[in-house]
Amino acid sequence: MTEKQFQDKVIAYLRSQQIYYVKIWGGGYQTAGIPDLLCCIRGKFVALELKTEKGKASVLQKYNLFKIQETGGYARILRPSEFERFKREVLTGAI
C-alpha cells in the first residue's frame, strides 16, 4: 500500500466518524516537518504522520511529534499495520 492509498483510507475513516481534520500539504511555502493530518478528536489535538510500513520519519517530523506530545497533544506515526488499533483507540476514547 502506498502512502497516498493509506492516507485516503485514514481520511475516509475520519470522515465516517465525523472527526474534524486538516490535511497538510508540504511545499515551498509550508513549514517543513508538520504532520500529515491535524485532527480534533473529542476536544483533543491529534497529529498523525502517515507512513508506509517501511517509510521513515525525518528528524524534523519526529521533533514536531515530540513537541506536540510534550505540550499535551496526541501525536504519532501511523502505519497501515497499526490502523485497526488506532480505530479502536478512537472508538473507545483512548485518544
Side-chain angles (χ1 to χ4, degrees):
M1 176 180 302
T2 67
E3 191 172 305
K4 173 68 169 114
Q5 290 169 325
F6 181 49
Q7 173 186 289
D8 291 345
K9 191 174 182 178
V10 173
I11 287 174
Y13 173 73
L14 295 173
R15 285 182 180 157
S16 76
Q17 298 301 305
Q18 298 179 330
I19 293 171
Y20 177 80
Y21 73 92
V22 174
K23 166 65 180 123
I24 302 300
W25 300 95
Y29 297 103
Q30 179 68 44
T31 302
I34 295 176
D36 295 316
L37 295 172
L38 303 178
C39 313
C40 185
I41 301 175
R42 291 183 190 83
K44 184 158 189 168
F45 180 76
V46 176
L48 301 172
E49 179 60 42
L50 306 177
K51 294 292 180 192
T52 63
E53 294 302 327
K54 294 182 181 181
K56 295 183 180 185
S58 71
V59 171
L60 187 54
Q61 288 170 329
K62 290 177 185 177
Y63 172 79
N64 282 319
L65 294 173
F66 170 77
K67 293 305 283 183
I68 291 166
Q69 291 173 339
E70 185 178 59
T71 58
Y74 177 93
R76 71 183 287 184
I77 296 170
L78 184 61
R79 299 178 189 283
S81 63
E82 303 162 345
F83 187 45
E84 291 303 315
R85 184 176 130 214
F86 172 76
K87 292 193 298 188
R88 283 192 304 275
E89 290 173 349
V90 168
L91 292 174
T92 63
I95 293 178

